[in-house]
Amino acid sequence: MTPFLKKDVLLILRDRKELAILILMPFVLIAILGFALGDMINATAPTLDMGVVVVDEEDEAEGLARFQEEVRSAPLPEDAKTALLAASEEVRPQRLLRDMLESEALSELLAVSEMELEAARTALERDEANAIVRIPPNFTYDTLRKMLLERGDGATLELEASESSPLRAGVIRDIVDGFVRSVNFQTALGQTSGAAPDATDAPAAATAAGGVESVSRYKTVNSLQYYTIGMAVMFVLYVASSTAGRAFLEKRQYTFDRMIIAGAHPLRFLGGKIASGAMLAFLQLAVLFLLSSLIFQSFAGQPPRFWAGLALISAAAAVCVGGLAALLTAMNYRLQTGTATDLFSGMMVSLLAFLGGSFFPTAQMSDWLNALGGWTPNGAALSSYLQMLQGADSARWMDDVYRLLGMAVVFAAAAVWMFPKRRDG
């Protein structure tokens, strides 16, 4: 198998036209789509129809009562206590957050519901919701204490975002982050000036919720990152058709017949196509990712763990492409024509790219098309890359890796079954 692998790699490296298609063309498309369609990928249009689940883990009334009791027992003038107690009644952090999420301005964007944490996470996994906003225990008490008494570290809002709908999750995170930045700024401004919030001033009260920080479970994906991955998983499919096309050319030039006459087993030849297709696919993915990272800074600053995950997913995708190359080779040899390769490169790659989400996120398509795209080689690879890039646990994106390896086994088995076991005329 090694001589076959070496031969195929040397042939592709000498073919400048093939190298331009496999490396230069996707890189150009990454630049065009990444910059031209960046606004669409990062859009915050009202048509997103986003779902937010609020998980309330605190007793707001108990927190308010606890704060007011602390104020009453504090060594402060009675006028100051009265003002603080009035302010605490008007400025309720949890109510301010809920009013923001359920405001008329966001009513066309967000559908807000409330669940227990376990049910909320189930909804998130099923893509029935795009983000979870967790209100932790003591949220009201800690926030009021920081805001009005300048004591403690404040409270933390936790945002768990969906990895299957990164665009919607990113918009929700931006909305919550905007709320957090506003209240932090107003709180810092009030503390600097030494003025307590005016309980009769509704706008001031609405922007003075105290020290809150947003914690996002998953990272967002920008347009350059998305199209780097999208174009990579699309053009890696051309490695399969290119490998199969060269294999059929070897048959027409009687190279395959000479190998068989020399005593080489047909399946060794087929195994060589799997190995060469996989190696070339892996090299193509590696070059595209490295170039995009160096020139566009798509993956700049990522830790070694990210690159290890990228290599693992790329290896699985490459093995799948190798199996696909063997299947196309077997079909060409069985049919005694290169129609399978021509049909795949001319039409099937574009169809798979559409279904797999190379041009736009599959979340924008219907549910059944979205599910179908996940069972394409490029769609499974794209999903795995995106989940890993967002920081999801390896157990989640490894499901797609196993799917890629499963497809590779199916492709290889079908190729072995279909490939002629003797020299046909």
Side-chain angles (χ1 to χ4, degrees):
M1 190 180 299
T2 303
F4 297 139
L5 173 61
K6 181 179 179 180
K7 170 180 64 65
D8 286 342
V9 172
L10 290 176
L11 285 175
I12 190 65
L13 292 177
R14 293 172 183 173
D15 192 335
R16 295 182 179 179
K17 180 180 178 181
E18 285 291 327
L19 288 177
I21 293 175
L22 298 179
I23 300 297
L24 183 59
M25 187 178 295
F27 190 72
V28 171
L29 286 175
I30 290 169
I32 294 174
L33 295 175
F35 289 110
L37 302 182
D39 292 337
M40 184 188 75
I41 290 295
N42 298 313
T44 59
T47 55
L48 286 177
D49 189 21
M50 300 170 293
V52 180
V53 178
V54 176
V55 176
D56 186 0
E57 299 178 340
E58 77 150 351
D59 185 337
E60 183 184 16
E62 189 275 335
L64 179 61
R66 182 182 173 191
F67 172 78
Q68 291 178 344
E69 180 61 29
E70 183 173 338
V71 170
R72 293 188 183 98
S73 61
L76 296 171
E78 289 300 321
D79 290 345
K81 289 183 181 181
T82 302
L84 288 171
L85 291 173
S88 67
E89 288 287 351
E90 293 293 331
V91 186
R92 297 192 180 186
Q94 184 178 151
R95 187 185 64 187
L96 295 176
L97 175 64
R98 291 177 181 272
D99 288 346
M100 183 273 295
L101 292 175
E102 299 171 1
S103 64
E104 183 178 354
L106 297 178
S107 61
E108 296 182 2
L109 277 173
L110 299 179
V112 183
S113 59
E114 187 165 348
M115 301 180 187
E116 296 295 328
L117 182 58
E118 184 176 349
R121 284 176 171 167
T122 300
L124 200 68
E125 292 175 358
R126 295 175 178 174
D127 205 24
E128 296 171 357
N130 304 118
I132 300 172
V133 177
R134 295 178 60 184
I135 302 175
N138 301 320
F139 176 74
T140 297
Y141 172 75
D142 290 339
T143 303
L144 289 175
R145 195 165 182 262
K146 175 67 174 178
M147 179 182 66
L148 299 178
L149 299 179
E150 299 184 38
R151 297 176 183 175
D153 298 323
T156 299
L157 279 177
E158 294 187 11
L159 179 69
E160 297 187 18
S162 168
E163 71 244 28
S164 59
S165 302
L167 302 184
R168 290 178 173 86
V171 173
I172 295 171
R173 189 190 69 171
D174 290 342
I175 291 173
V176 176
D177 281 348
F179 172 79
V180 169
R181 286 193 297 270
S182 176
V183 298
N184 282 340
F185 174 76
Q186 292 295 335
T187 300
L189 186 63
Q191 291 174 352
T192 301
S193 63
D198 185 354
T200 62
D201 189 350
T207 56
V212 183
E213 296 179 358
S214 176
V215 178
S216 178
R217 184 178 177 186
Y218 298 111
K219 304 173 185 177
T220 55
V221 178
N222 62 45
S223 59
L224 281 173
Q225 291 172 334
Y226 186 90
Y227 283 114
T228 294
I229 297 170
M231 292 300 102
V233 298
M234 172 185 172
F235 277 87
V236 78
L237 297 176
Y238 285 108
V239 172
S241 60
S242 177
T243 302
R246 287 194 305 275
F248 187 69
L249 182 62
E250 290 176 316
K251 180 175 178 61
R252 293 180 60 182
Q253 295 175 344
Y254 302 104
T255 303
F256 173 71
D257 292 339
R258 291 195 292 270
M259 292 178 183
I260 300 303
I261 294 173
H265 195 281
L267 293 185
R268 283 192 61 198
F269 175 81
L270 189 65
K273 298 307 171 188
I274 296 176
S276 61
M279 175 172 286
L280 291 172
F282 185 83
L283 290 175
Q284 182 199 32
L285 291 171
V287 170
L288 287 176
F289 289 144
L290 288 174
L291 284 177
S292 182
S293 183
L294 290 173
I295 297 177
F296 300 134
Q297 300 294 298
S298 301
F299 308 116
Q302 295 290 349
R305 179 183 176 184
F306 166 83
W307 293 104
L310 197 74
L312 177 60
I313 300 171
S314 298
V319 171
C320 187
V321 169
L324 185 57
L327 179 58
L328 292 173
T329 298
M331 293 174 67
N332 286 338
Y333 274 53
R334 174 64 67 180
L335 298 174
Q336 299 288 323
T337 176
T339 302
T341 298
D342 296 337
L343 182 64
F344 182 80
S345 61
M347 184 176 70
M348 287 301 297
V349 170
S350 298
L351 178 61
L352 291 173
F354 170 76
L355 292 175
S358 289
F359 299 114
F360 55 87
T362 56
Q364 299 179 13
M365 300 190 294
S366 62
D367 292 341
W368 70 272
L369 280 175
N370 193 1
L372 182 61
W375 284 97
T376 62
N378 54 306
L382 178 66
S383 174
S384 192
Y385 280 127
L386 290 178
Q387 291 184 58
M388 188 269 298
L389 182 59
Q390 290 176 272
D393 295 336
S394 59
R396 299 190 65 85
W397 52 262
M398 279 299 294
D399 288 342
D400 288 309
V401 172
Y402 296 142
R403 187 178 299 181
L404 285 169
L405 296 176
M407 284 188 280
V409 172
V410 172
F411 292 151
V416 170
W417 174 78
M418 189 177 297
F419 195 70
K421 304 304 187 296
R422 59 184 179 83
R423 179 168 61 91
D424 298 324

